[in-house]
Amino acid sequence: MTEPINTLITAQLDALLHGETNLTANLANASALLKQTVADINWAGFYLYQPQTDDLILGPFQGNVACVHIENNRGVCGTALSTQTTQRIADVHQFAGHIACDSASNAEIVVPLTLADGTKLGVMDIDSPSIDRFSVDDQHVLEEFARVLLTHVDKA
């Protein structure tokens, strides 16, 4: 069994982003922190919402090359964006409409990122090569991670 995500990751993120307002830099460091500290993952990063085209475009990430554009309401990321709910998928191959950017990924968790004023920023996406990698507790930690990240984005 994979070790749970340590709740200290949110404090680490808050300290790492302290005083920084650049969105790209903050997302890059957040993805690096996730990839460096979360066990049994093969991709961690962000897709940013493009309101003019109503889709997501690849943002900062750590891992193998990735899909560049994802349509709203398509795949796990597009579903998280359109429903504004976290998608915790035990087996992506069982998810209708899954977009296979990396065939090594078997589980995925996607957290929507919405600013305090309701503006959709995008999604945080994390993949694992292991089936059923992410627990409910992991989901809560990652949702808190996203909340902390957004406090720094709101200042940008």
Side-chain angles (χ1 to χ4, degrees):
M1 175 160 177
T2 302
E3 66 185 69
I5 299 172
N6 190 319
T7 58
L8 293 177
I9 194 171
T10 57
Q12 290 173 303
L13 178 69
D14 197 36
L16 181 64
L17 303 186
H18 179 75
E20 182 53 63
T21 60
N22 184 278
L23 177 63
T24 302
N26 285 348
L27 295 180
N29 269 333
S31 63
L33 179 61
L34 287 165
K35 187 74 166 75
Q36 184 178 21
T37 60
V38 177
D40 196 25
I41 64 170
N42 58 337
W43 202 92
F46 300 91
Y47 282 92
L48 301 174
Y49 181 59
Q50 307 298 298
Q52 63 278 22
T53 54
D54 193 35
D55 68 353
L56 294 163
I57 191 162
L58 182 64
F61 71 94
Q62 298 283 312
N64 290 336
V65 296
C67 299
V68 175
H69 289 273
I70 297 176
E71 294 175 31
N72 191 2
N73 205 29
R74 185 159 177 263
V76 180
C77 289
T79 299
L81 178 70
S82 67
T83 63
Q84 287 294 287
T85 59
T86 298
Q87 300 293 304
R88 183 170 46 90
I89 310 301
D91 182 351
V92 295
H93 308 290
Q94 303 302 313
F95 186 89
H98 174 251
I99 302 167
C101 299
D102 181 354
S103 62
S105 294
N106 289 307
E108 185 171 7
I109 188 164
V110 180
V111 179
L113 302 172
T114 305
L115 300 176
D117 67 1
T119 302
K120 294 177 184 177
L121 180 65
V123 299
M124 177 175 69
D125 181 18
I126 305 170
D127 297 349
S128 172
S130 298
I131 298 284
D132 202 20
R133 160 60 183 96
F134 304 104
S135 68
V136 171
D137 290 339
D138 290 338
Q139 178 177 335
H140 293 159
V141 171
L142 292 171
E143 288 171 340
E144 177 64 10
F145 183 92
R147 188 195 64 73
V148 168
L149 173 63
L150 288 170
T151 65
H152 293 277
V153 170
D154 272 343
K155 296 175 187 171

